Amino acid sequence: MTDKLDDEKYRAPALSKGLDILELLAGESRGKTQVEIAKTLGRTTSEIFRMLMVLRQRGYVELSEDGDRYAMTTKMFEIAHKHPPIRRLTAIAGEEMQRLADAINQSLHLAILHSGKVLVIAQVDCQDNNITSVRLGAQIPLFDTASGRVLAAWMEERALASLLEVAQGSEERRQDFVDGLAEVREKGYCGNASLTIEGVQNISAPIRDFSGKVIAALTIPFVKRLSGTSIKSADESREALLEVCRSISRQLGASVHSD
């Protein structure tokens, strides 16, 4: 009873409406109109209009070129990067990622889990003219990624169940994802053909924090170039990736012997 009264006492309706809008738009790549937002959230258009004006003034949402649809900006992503753990992770990983990209002539991206999806928080390219890269800030369905398998493989049972509950995808993809986690744990990495781009082999390895917990996945979308500029094989690239992940993990305080 006390908790319920406390909930009523500390309600902030305006803040709740603003957060509802942000959470809705976060899952919409094309954005939504004011009417669509109001209908989805069960609010009046006048309520939504006031919230949208404030969010737009603060730089959290923007209008499309035709002035009809609202979409999220990258401001939330930028704020997340100011959070010390993520900032430290990207600061430590950045130079190591670029050195590896140059050494194997492949692009790399660093990802974490966010709201049941894989969020790309850092990305580097090699010097080759032909590259395969993932957009910084991209949110990718969990079941479609090697990164997702690495991030989920060492989770405790309860945490994994919670992740699977919010992740989106077909039952077939979900089952295939779960079935593959044991192999990822056994090998210490994930290597499989891309589920989104033909001809790309994704190679992903875990990065651990001081407690040994997997907090990020570093991934090479490996491409074999017919031009002859693929200076390292997929196996050589994988071994180099694993060594870099161990190095980054050590700098974050993880034991060299974490497994």
Side-chain angles (χ1 to χ4, degrees):
M1 183 67 175
T2 303
D3 290 343
K4 186 174 182 180
L5 289 173
D6 286 344
D7 288 344
E8 291 296 320
K9 180 179 178 181
Y10 295 113
R11 286 184 63 211
L15 176 59
S16 294
K17 282 184 282 189
L19 292 174
D20 286 343
I21 292 172
L22 290 176
E23 290 173 359
L24 174 64
L25 293 180
E28 297 291 334
S29 58
R30 293 185 60 249
K32 280 185 173 292
T33 66
Q34 180 182 326
V35 173
E36 288 172 337
I37 295 171
K39 184 177 180 180
T40 303
L41 297 179
R43 305 279 187 178
T44 66
T45 53
S46 60
E47 283 181 291
I48 295 302
F49 177 76
R50 290 195 295 271
M51 292 297 104
L52 286 171
M53 289 304 98
V54 173
L55 291 171
R56 188 180 174 197
Q57 289 167 2
R58 297 294 296 268
Y60 288 95
V61 302
E62 61 186 0
L63 266 174
S64 59
E65 290 184 3
D66 60 12
D68 187 43
R69 307 182 77 84
Y70 289 88
M72 282 189 70
T73 66
T74 59
K75 187 168 183 177
M76 291 292 288
F77 181 67
E78 294 164 6
I79 289 174
H81 269 67
K82 293 179 181 179
H83 186 51
I86 294 180
R87 187 169 67 237
R88 183 162 183 256
L89 172 60
T90 54
I92 290 173
E95 288 188 14
E96 298 249 21
M97 289 173 64
Q98 191 61 66
R99 280 196 293 269
L100 178 58
D102 293 339
I104 65 176
N105 203 28
Q106 299 283 341
S107 299
L108 299 99
H109 58 269
L110 182 68
I112 62 174
L113 288 173
H114 175 70
S115 299
K117 294 183 179 180
V118 171
L119 172 65
V120 177
I121 62 171
Q123 195 276 331
V124 298
D125 292 327
C126 59
Q127 301 301 314
D128 202 277
N129 291 330
N130 302 294
I131 61 173
T132 299
S133 61
V134 180
R135 177 177 56 83
L136 182 64
Q139 295 188 51
I140 311 167
L142 180 72
F143 304 143
D144 293 347
T145 67
S147 300
R149 284 166 168 76
V150 166
L151 290 164
W154 287 272
M155 276 186 165
E156 294 181 355
E157 187 175 340
R158 183 178 297 180
L160 178 60
S162 297
L163 174 64
L164 296 175
E165 189 175 332
V166 297
Q168 297 179 343
S170 69
E171 187 56 40
E172 181 181 358
R173 280 283 176 93
R174 177 188 299 266
Q175 193 59 53
D176 180 66
F177 179 88
V178 172
D179 290 344
L181 296 183
E183 182 180 0
V184 174
R185 285 193 299 273
E186 181 181 349
K187 290 183 174 180
Y189 67 89
C190 181
N192 58 17
S194 171
L195 295 173
T196 56
I197 302 177
E198 188 173 356
V200 173
Q201 180 182 355
N202 288 324
I203 309 169
S204 185
I207 292 174
R208 301 173 184 271
D209 66 7
F210 66 92
S211 68
K213 179 183 177 181
V214 175
I215 58 169
L218 185 56
T219 303
I220 305 170
F222 184 89
V223 291
K224 184 175 181 180
R225 301 182 182 87
L226 301 180
S227 60
T229 57
S230 294
I231 58 179
K232 298 288 184 181
S233 68
D235 288 345
E236 291 171 323
S237 296
R238 182 192 67 233
E239 292 307 309
L241 173 69
L242 288 168
E243 180 53 42
V244 164
C245 287
R246 286 191 288 265
S247 175
I248 295 171
S249 297
R250 283 195 294 268
Q251 293 176 67
L252 290 170
S255 167
V256 180
H257 305 291
S258 294
D259 50 44

